[in-house]
Amino acid sequence: MEATLRDAYVTLADAFAYPAPGRLEALKRGGAAMPKGAGKDAYAAFLSGIDRLPLGAWEELHTRTLDLNPPAAPYVGYQTWGESYQRGAFLAQMNRALAEADVDADGELPDHLAPTFRYLATVSDPLPELLEVLGPAIGRMIEALRKAEPDNPYVSLLQAVQAQCQDLKKEAA
Protein backbone atom coordinates (compact mmCIF):
# COMPACT_ATOMS: atom_id res chain seq x y z
CA MET A 1 0.00 0.00 0.00
CA GLU A 2 1.37 3.39 -0.95
CA ALA A 3 2.25 5.89 1.77
CA THR A 4 -0.34 8.48 0.72
CA LEU A 5 -3.16 5.94 1.09
CA ARG A 6 -1.87 4.94 4.53
CA ASP A 7 -1.71 8.62 5.45
CA ALA A 8 -5.29 9.08 4.20
CA TYR A 9 -6.45 6.27 6.51
CA VAL A 10 -4.70 7.90 9.48
CA THR A 11 -6.26 11.26 8.61
CA LEU A 12 -9.72 9.69 8.37
CA ALA A 13 -9.22 7.98 11.73
CA ASP A 14 -8.17 11.31 13.26
CA ALA A 15 -11.27 13.02 11.83
CA PHE A 16 -13.44 10.79 14.04
CA ALA A 17 -11.59 11.85 17.20
CA TYR A 18 -13.16 14.34 19.57
CA PRO A 19 -12.48 17.95 18.49
CA ALA A 20 -9.67 19.76 20.27
CA PRO A 21 -7.68 22.96 19.79
CA GLY A 22 -5.33 22.53 16.83
CA ARG A 23 -7.14 19.45 15.49
CA LEU A 24 -8.73 21.29 12.55
CA GLU A 25 -5.32 22.46 11.35
CA ALA A 26 -3.96 18.91 11.63
CA LEU A 27 -6.97 17.58 9.70
CA LYS A 28 -6.38 20.18 6.99
CA ARG A 29 -2.72 19.13 6.67
CA GLY A 30 -3.81 15.50 6.41
CA GLY A 31 -6.40 16.37 3.78
CA ALA A 32 -3.83 18.21 1.69
CA ALA A 33 -1.78 15.02 1.51
CA MET A 34 -4.70 12.78 0.45
CA PRO A 35 -4.66 11.30 -3.02
CA LYS A 36 -6.81 13.21 -5.53
CA GLY A 37 -10.27 11.83 -6.14
CA ALA A 38 -13.75 11.53 -4.70
CA GLY A 39 -12.43 10.79 -1.21
CA LYS A 40 -10.36 13.96 -1.10
CA ASP A 41 -13.25 16.03 -2.47
CA ALA A 42 -15.69 14.68 0.13
CA TYR A 43 -13.10 15.21 2.87
CA ALA A 44 -12.66 18.83 1.73
CA ALA A 45 -16.44 19.29 2.04
CA PHE A 46 -16.26 17.93 5.60
CA LEU A 47 -13.45 20.37 6.44
CA SER A 48 -15.40 23.24 4.93
CA GLY A 49 -18.41 22.32 7.09
CA ILE A 50 -16.51 22.22 10.37
CA ASP A 51 -14.17 25.11 9.53
CA ARG A 52 -16.95 27.63 9.98
CA LEU A 53 -17.88 26.29 13.44
CA PRO A 54 -16.41 27.54 16.70
CA LEU A 55 -14.75 24.74 18.69
CA GLY A 56 -17.71 24.42 21.10
CA ALA A 57 -20.18 24.00 18.23
CA TRP A 58 -17.91 21.42 16.58
CA GLU A 59 -17.71 19.51 19.89
CA GLU A 60 -21.50 19.55 20.14
CA LEU A 61 -21.85 18.38 16.53
CA HIS A 62 -19.35 15.58 17.10
CA THR A 63 -21.11 14.40 20.25
CA ARG A 64 -24.56 14.55 18.64
CA THR A 65 -23.36 12.78 15.51
CA LEU A 66 -21.01 10.12 16.86
CA ASP A 67 -21.36 9.67 20.62
CA LEU A 68 -24.71 10.13 22.36
CA ASN A 69 -27.41 8.05 20.67
CA PRO A 70 -25.96 8.81 17.23
CA PRO A 71 -28.15 8.57 14.14
CA ALA A 72 -25.31 6.68 12.42
CA ALA A 73 -23.35 4.74 15.03
CA PRO A 74 -19.71 4.64 13.79
CA TYR A 75 -19.29 0.93 14.51
CA VAL A 76 -18.78 -1.41 11.56
CA GLY A 77 -20.00 -4.52 13.39
CA TYR A 78 -23.05 -2.81 14.82
CA GLN A 79 -24.03 -1.50 11.38
CA THR A 80 -23.65 -5.00 9.99
CA TRP A 81 -25.18 -7.23 12.67
CA GLY A 82 -26.66 -4.97 15.37
CA GLU A 83 -26.22 -6.22 18.92
CA SER A 84 -25.82 -9.90 18.15
CA TYR A 85 -23.53 -12.87 18.56
CA GLN A 86 -22.07 -12.21 15.09
CA ARG A 87 -21.02 -8.73 16.15
CA GLY A 88 -19.45 -10.18 19.30
CA ALA A 89 -17.44 -12.63 17.20
CA PHE A 90 -16.40 -9.81 14.86
CA LEU A 91 -15.37 -7.63 17.83
CA ALA A 92 -13.17 -10.47 19.08
CA GLN A 93 -11.56 -10.85 15.63
CA MET A 94 -10.97 -7.11 15.35
CA ASN A 95 -9.58 -6.97 18.88
CA ARG A 96 -7.03 -9.68 18.00
CA ALA A 97 -6.21 -7.99 14.69
CA LEU A 98 -5.65 -4.62 16.37
CA ALA A 99 -3.43 -6.23 19.01
CA GLU A 100 -1.38 -8.09 16.37
CA ALA A 101 -0.95 -4.85 14.41
CA ASP A 102 -0.08 -2.95 17.60
CA VAL A 103 -2.96 -0.52 17.06
CA ASP A 104 -4.40 1.18 20.14
CA ALA A 105 -8.20 1.41 20.04
CA ASP A 106 -7.83 4.53 22.21
CA GLY A 107 -10.81 3.69 24.40
CA GLU A 108 -13.12 2.78 21.52
CA LEU A 109 -14.54 -0.61 20.65
CA PRO A 110 -12.43 -2.33 17.99
CA ASP A 111 -15.12 -1.94 15.31
CA HIS A 112 -15.28 1.87 15.68
CA LEU A 113 -14.17 3.69 12.53
CA ALA A 114 -11.17 5.39 14.20
CA PRO A 115 -9.30 2.21 15.24
CA THR A 116 -10.53 0.46 12.09
CA PHE A 117 -8.82 3.04 9.88
CA ARG A 118 -5.69 3.09 12.05
CA TYR A 119 -5.58 -0.69 11.56
CA LEU A 120 -6.02 -0.32 7.79
CA ALA A 121 -3.16 2.19 7.74
CA THR A 122 -0.91 -0.31 9.51
CA VAL A 123 -1.48 -3.64 7.77
CA SER A 124 -0.91 -4.69 4.20
CA ASP A 125 -3.32 -7.63 4.36
CA PRO A 126 -6.41 -6.67 6.40
CA LEU A 127 -8.94 -9.13 7.75
CA PRO A 128 -11.08 -10.39 4.85
CA GLU A 129 -14.13 -10.24 7.15
CA LEU A 130 -13.53 -6.52 7.64
CA LEU A 131 -13.15 -5.87 3.92
CA GLU A 132 -16.39 -7.75 3.28
CA VAL A 133 -18.54 -5.69 5.66
CA LEU A 134 -16.85 -2.27 5.74
CA GLY A 135 -18.31 -0.78 2.56
CA PRO A 136 -21.92 -1.82 3.24
CA ALA A 137 -21.63 -0.63 6.87
CA ILE A 138 -20.39 2.78 5.73
CA GLY A 139 -23.26 2.93 3.24
CA ARG A 140 -25.76 2.35 6.06
CA MET A 141 -24.09 5.05 8.16
CA ILE A 142 -24.33 7.56 5.32
CA GLU A 143 -27.96 6.71 4.67
CA ALA A 144 -28.93 7.04 8.34
CA LEU A 145 -27.08 10.31 8.89
CA ARG A 146 -28.28 11.80 5.61
CA LYS A 147 -31.86 10.98 6.62
CA ALA A 148 -31.45 12.45 10.13
CA GLU A 149 -29.30 15.49 9.29
CA PRO A 150 -28.66 15.96 5.56
CA ASP A 151 -26.52 19.07 6.09
CA ASN A 152 -24.29 17.51 8.76
CA PRO A 153 -20.60 17.80 7.70
CA TYR A 154 -20.02 14.25 8.94
CA VAL A 155 -22.08 13.02 5.95
CA SER A 156 -19.18 14.27 3.80
CA LEU A 157 -16.64 12.61 6.09
CA LEU A 158 -18.47 9.29 5.74
CA GLN A 159 -18.54 9.78 1.97
CA ALA A 160 -14.77 10.28 2.07
CA VAL A 161 -14.49 7.05 4.05
CA GLN A 162 -16.72 5.30 1.51
CA ALA A 163 -14.50 6.45 -1.36
CA GLN A 164 -11.39 5.19 0.45
CA CYS A 165 -13.14 1.86 1.08
CA GLN A 166 -13.71 1.50 -2.66
CA ASP A 167 -10.00 2.11 -3.23
CA LEU A 168 -9.23 -0.47 -0.53
CA LYS A 169 -11.43 -3.07 -2.24
CA LYS A 170 -9.69 -2.42 -5.57
CA GLU A 171 -6.32 -2.82 -3.88
CA ALA A 172 -7.33 -6.10 -2.20
CA ALA A 173 -8.67 -7.58 -5.46
Side-chain angles (χ1 to χ4, degrees):
M1 181 188 314
E2 62 184 81
T4 54
L5 196 50
R6 287 183 194 274
D7 294 340
Y9 292 155
V10 170
T11 298
L12 291 171
D14 290 346
F16 286 99
Y18 191 76
R23 178 149 333 218
L24 181 58
E25 290 74 23
L27 293 177
K28 286 179 179 179
R29 283 191 303 274
M34 279 187 172
K36 290 186 191 268
K40 183 172 185 153
D41 295 344
Y43 186 78
F46 164 70
L47 290 176
S48 176
I50 61 171
D51 193 24
R52 63 179 189 260
L53 299 175
L55 181 59
W58 182 20
E59 290 170 338
E60 181 183 313
L61 176 69
H62 181 277
T63 300
R64 181 178 76 238
T65 305
L66 300 173
D67 287 338
L68 299 177
N69 196 21
Y75 300 95
V76 176
Y78 177 80
Q79 290 295 331
T80 304
W81 297 286
E83 293 294 345
S84 69
Y85 172 80
Q86 290 96 334
R87 181 183 183 212
F90 180 71
L91 285 170
Q93 276 186 303
M94 284 297 295
N95 199 40
R96 281 190 300 276
L98 292 177
E100 288 171 6
D102 200 26
V103 172
D104 184 0
D106 201 26
E108 296 291 351
L109 291 173
D111 67 337
H112 186 279
L113 290 175
T116 296
F117 272 85
R118 282 192 177 81
Y119 166 76
L120 291 172
T122 304
V123 300
S124 56
D125 190 22
L127 280 175
E129 294 83 359
L130 173 61
L131 295 180
E132 184 178 317
V133 299
L134 185 58
I138 299 297
R140 284 190 279 287
M141 290 176 209
I142 291 170
E143 185 178 314
L145 186 54
R146 202 183 267 149
K147 183 177 177 183
E149 293 184 55
D151 296 329
N152 187 319
Y154 282 93
V155 171
S156 296
L157 177 59
L158 288 169
Q159 290 170 328
V161 167
Q162 186 177 49
Q164 294 302 332
C165 289
Q166 291 169 348
D167 291 345
L168 181 65
K169 262 196 136 161
K170 288 177 198 170
E171 198 174 280

